[in-house]
């Protein structure tokens, strides 16, 4: 046996070890490169998300001066004061009513519009474009437009009411109507996003299913209820989750249209936090309210996943 044949077993034992070491080095390099690419996003998240969140947790246990500096340790006093404050409970009720009025209505209307414009008819692209327009309008711009529409003397809504002989309505100053007026504006503003998402979901349903249902003699309403709705349930579930979170975080339209009035009927949770922190300069209480809002949104989202996801039909 020559020396080359004697070295074969040694080479066969060395090469796998060298290969594993080389693979570890390669994986380590790939990991480092991956973190380098993620570094800018991680830095931004730390600055604008994680640090403010930790700062809010810290401030929620403190008393602060008007400049936001810590004056004294409050412990749980901010939270105790929060749940005994009647204004906080009023804002909590306003937020839930606002969510109840806006979320289901916006989803149902967007679903109907998506179903009506799903068919490939002549001119349907124009309707799709018009129905999607609210998505391109900012909250501030939409609020200014609707503020003019709601104006008691020069607003279009009261003008239309006068044409049919009805008296003018104080849309934004009547405590019984203001929450509905702001909700109507919010529904219109959310229609664009809901419509685009639901229309995309409907377009993802195979046409063969509709053709088979048509051959079986199913009418359009029955087809929509038995085929479209079950197959669209994942999209509806997503839209419901996002809409509830967005409704509980609404602020811009409230600030521009009513500023929480009249009689605090539109003083939703986020606007109450704004008033407490940046108007009354009670940053400790405002931080406690923000954390309570985070907990409420988290609990509602978990309940939605626990209850609604059971009815979601995944293909």
């Amino acid at each position: 046996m020559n020396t080359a044949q004697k070295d074969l077993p040694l080479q066969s034992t060395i090469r796998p070890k060298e290969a594993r070491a080389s693979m570890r080095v390669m994986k380590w390099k790939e990991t480092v490169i991956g973190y380098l690419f993620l570094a800018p996003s991680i830095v931004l998240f730390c600055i604008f998300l994680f640090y403010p969140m930790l700062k809010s947790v810290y401030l929620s246990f403190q008393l602060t001066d008007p400049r936001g500096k810590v004056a004294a340790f409050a412990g749980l006093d901010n939270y105790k004061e929060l749940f005994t404050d009647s204004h906080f409970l009023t804002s909590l009720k306003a937020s839930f009513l606002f969510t109840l009025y806006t979320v289901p209505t916006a989803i149902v209307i967007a679903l109907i519009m998506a179903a009506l414009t799903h068919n490939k008819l002549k001119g349907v692209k124009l309707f799709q474009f018009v129905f999607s327009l609210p998505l391109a309008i900012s909250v501030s711009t939409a609020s200014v437009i609707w503020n003019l529409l709601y104006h008691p003397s020069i607003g279009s809504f009261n003008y239309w009411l006068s044409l049919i002989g009805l008296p003018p309505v104080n849309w934004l100053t009547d405590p019984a109507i203001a929450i509905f007026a702001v909700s109507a504006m919010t529904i219109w503003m959310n229609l664009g996003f809901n419509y685009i998402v639901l229309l995309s979901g409907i377009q993802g349903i195979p046409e063969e299913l509709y053709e088979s249902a048509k051959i079986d003699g199913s009418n359009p309403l029955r087809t929509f209820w038995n085929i479209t709705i079950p197959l669209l349930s994942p999209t509806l579930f997503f839209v419901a989750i996002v809409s509830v979170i967005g409704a509980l975080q609404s602020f811009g339209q409230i600030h521009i249209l009513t500023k929480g009035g009249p009689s605090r009927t539109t003083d939703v949770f986020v606007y109450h936090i704004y008033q407490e922190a940046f108007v009354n300069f009670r940053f400790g209480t405002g931080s406690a309210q923000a954390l309570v809002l985070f907990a409420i949104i988290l609990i509602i989202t978990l309940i939605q996943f626990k209850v609604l996801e059971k009815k979601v039909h995944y293909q």
Side-chain angles (χ1 to χ4, degrees):
M1 183 180 296
N2 54 30
T3 56
Q5 292 176 336
K6 292 180 180 179
D7 292 338
L8 283 176
L10 181 61
Q11 292 177 358
S12 63
T13 57
I14 294 176
R15 287 175 181 174
K17 292 181 180 180
E18 293 177 350
R20 286 194 294 269
S22 177
M23 289 294 294
R24 284 196 296 267
V25 173
M26 187 179 300
K27 289 182 179 179
W28 183 81
K29 289 181 179 180
E30 291 178 353
T31 302
V32 172
I33 292 173
Y35 279 113
L36 288 176
F37 280 110
L38 290 174
S41 299
I42 294 174
V43 171
L44 291 176
F45 272 105
C46 291
I47 295 175
F48 296 106
L49 180 63
F50 300 129
Y51 172 73
M53 183 179 295
L54 294 176
K55 187 71 172 181
S56 296
V57 174
Y58 171 71
L59 289 176
S60 67
F61 297 102
Q62 311 293 333
L63 294 177
T64 59
D65 59 18
R67 294 176 298 174
K69 294 185 178 181
V70 175
F73 178 73
L76 297 176
D77 290 343
N78 288 333
Y79 292 94
K80 293 178 181 177
E81 180 183 353
L82 184 65
F83 289 103
T84 57
D85 184 9
S86 60
H87 292 166
F88 167 75
L89 299 177
T90 301
S91 66
L92 191 63
K93 178 183 176 181
S95 292
F96 284 125
L97 288 176
F98 180 76
T99 303
L100 181 63
Y101 296 153
T102 57
V103 173
T105 308
I107 293 177
V108 171
I109 295 176
L111 179 60
I112 294 173
M113 293 192 307
L116 292 176
T117 57
H118 167 59
N119 297 321
K120 298 178 181 179
L121 302 175
K122 186 177 181 180
V124 75
K125 293 293 183 181
L126 177 62
F127 288 95
Q128 293 177 353
F129 171 74
V130 172
F131 292 160
S132 304
L133 274 180
L135 182 63
I137 301 177
S138 65
V139 177
S140 58
T141 304
S143 300
V144 171
I145 294 173
W146 280 75
N147 195 20
L148 293 175
L149 295 175
Y150 284 137
H151 196 278
S153 57
I154 63 173
S156 298
F157 290 154
N158 280 341
Y159 171 73
W160 294 335
L161 290 177
S162 66
L163 293 179
I164 57 177
L166 295 178
V169 176
N170 296 321
W171 299 99
L172 300 177
T173 56
D174 188 343
I177 299 177
I179 186 67
F180 296 103
V182 178
S183 298
M185 176 263 165
T186 305
I187 291 169
W188 174 84
M189 190 178 62
N190 293 337
L191 281 180
F193 173 78
N194 292 351
Y195 170 76
I196 291 175
V197 174
L198 293 175
L199 180 62
S200 301
I202 292 177
Q203 290 177 344
I205 299 175
E207 290 291 337
E208 294 81 5
L209 296 176
Y210 293 113
E211 294 175 359
S212 300
K214 190 175 181 180
I215 294 173
D216 292 338
S218 178
N219 57 57
L221 185 60
R222 185 177 180 183
T223 301
F224 177 77
W225 184 258
N226 292 330
I227 295 179
T228 304
I229 294 297
L231 295 180
L232 195 63
S233 56
T235 308
L236 289 170
F237 178 65
F238 166 76
V239 172
I241 295 289
V242 174
S243 298
V244 170
I245 294 175
L248 291 174
Q249 294 179 336
S250 296
F251 169 78
Q253 62 269 44
I254 304 295
H255 182 59
I256 294 174
L257 292 177
T258 62
K259 298 189 183 306
S263 302
R264 295 185 179 272
T265 54
T266 61
D267 186 18
V268 295
F269 210 152
V270 176
Y271 191 77
H272 188 69
I273 294 173
Y274 163 77
Q275 289 281 339
E276 194 71 15
F278 300 105
V279 176
N280 300 330
F281 299 106
R282 301 180 62 188
F283 296 99
T285 308
S287 298
Q289 291 180 2
L291 292 175
V292 170
L293 175 61
F294 170 77
I296 291 174
I297 292 176
L298 179 62
I299 292 172
I300 292 177
T301 304
L302 292 176
I303 292 174
Q304 286 179 293
F305 270 95
K306 189 71 174 179
V307 177
L308 297 181
E309 196 176 18
K310 295 179 180 179
K311 301 181 180 179
V312 174
H313 176 76
Y314 295 102
Q315 298 186 39

